[in-house]
Amino acid sequence: VGDFLQNAPIAEVDEAEDAEQREVVQWQTSDIFGLAGITDRASAAQHPRCVAISRQYRYPPIIADLVNDFCYDGLLESHQKEELGGQPVISFLDTSSLKDRDFTRTRGSWRCERTVDAAAELAAGICEGSIGYVTPYAPQAAAAQRAFRAAGLDIESGTSHRFQGREFDTVIVDLMQDERPRWVSAADLHGAKRAVSAAKLLNVALTRAKKKLYLI
């Protein structure tokens, strides 16, 4: 039971040296759907032991439309028929003109203090409901959490993997993109392994929002 387009487990495994070890690595780094051959809407519909539930109740229809386009192949239907309140559900914050928007390599991953500052400034103006900050990289999530606490902001910060299964009224997704195309920009459910991983990561990040979604 679950979503066949959620993040697969993160596993630290040694390099496989023989057939038995390669089989173990496959189980450690794949989700149960992938192991059963369920990787997209078509394979879910065709699998004899899978019933694909199509109606979603958590997020607004425009978010369902977004993830339908690049992940679910039109599978999702929304219980909520229209956006509530007539206000924008998805907003973009362009950070390309920020000074010193440098990406710093940290423990094999990335962080960017300027987009953390932008997220904190944005969150300070959100007056109600729970707020989550989601990013692809653990060092960025940690830096954001420190900044939010220092500013007295009640915001949870985490990676897409950490927030899988969670939900917030408002979600700020830091896509962590600059002039160099990075992980999320490779999202393609029908691409190579890293592209599929990026698509699932982006899908989870976008669908944590119950009401509003901000993309940085």
Side-chain angles (χ1 to χ4, degrees):
V1 177
D3 188 335
F4 54 86
L5 294 179
Q6 299 281 289
N7 293 315
I10 295 177
E12 295 183 2
V13 294
D14 295 329
E15 187 71 23
E17 297 179 355
D18 55 38
E20 182 179 358
Q21 290 180 2
R22 283 193 291 272
E23 184 176 1
V24 171
V25 168
Q26 179 187 7
W27 279 88
Q28 289 178 312
T29 58
S30 299
D31 61 76
I32 193 169
F33 296 100
L35 291 169
I38 300 170
T39 58
D40 54 18
R41 176 183 179 171
S43 54
Q46 294 167 5
H47 198 282
R49 295 185 178 181
C50 179
V51 176
I53 298 174
S54 61
R55 176 156 293 195
Q56 67 84 19
Y57 293 82
R58 183 173 67 243
Y59 39 85
I62 191 172
I63 296 179
D65 291 343
L66 178 59
V67 294
N68 259 333
D69 281 345
F70 77 91
C71 262
Y72 291 101
D73 193 25
L75 171 69
L76 295 180
E77 302 173 359
S78 296
H79 176 72
Q80 179 182 323
K81 294 302 181 184
E82 59 185 22
E83 321 308 338
L84 300 177
Q87 298 296 318
V89 173
I90 302 176
S91 300
F92 291 88
L93 179 62
D94 184 359
T95 60
S96 61
S97 62
L98 291 177
K99 293 181 179 180
D100 302 320
R101 193 181 65 117
D102 296 326
F103 282 52
T104 302
R105 189 78 169 168
T106 304
R107 299 191 304 278
S109 189
W110 298 95
R111 63 183 175 87
C112 177
E113 298 291 347
R114 293 296 283 125
T115 57
V116 168
D117 294 341
E121 184 176 350
L122 172 63
I126 300 173
C127 302
E128 59 182 6
S130 57
I131 304 174
Y133 170 91
V134 188
T135 182
Y137 305 117
Q140 180 74 354
Q145 194 66 78
R146 291 191 297 269
F148 297 153
R149 287 174 179 167
L153 297 171
D154 184 18
I155 304 174
E156 287 195 64
S157 175
T159 62
S160 178
H161 285 82
R162 179 171 178 254
F163 279 171
Q164 186 157 290
R166 301 287 307 280
E167 58 184 40
F168 303 88
D169 293 313
T170 299
V171 169
I172 301 170
V173 179
D174 191 341
L175 297 171
M176 292 291 288
Q177 297 296 307
D178 57 4
E179 66 280 355
R180 169 187 170 188
R182 297 180 185 272
W183 188 10
V184 170
S185 67
D188 182 357
L189 196 60
H190 301 290
K193 183 175 181 181
R194 182 171 176 80
V196 171
S197 177
K200 291 182 177 182
L201 180 146
L202 185 57
N203 174 43
V204 172
L206 297 175
T207 55
R208 300 309 91 200
K210 294 166 61 178
K211 296 180 180 179
K212 288 186 176 294
L213 179 65
Y214 292 90
L215 303 178
I216 298 178

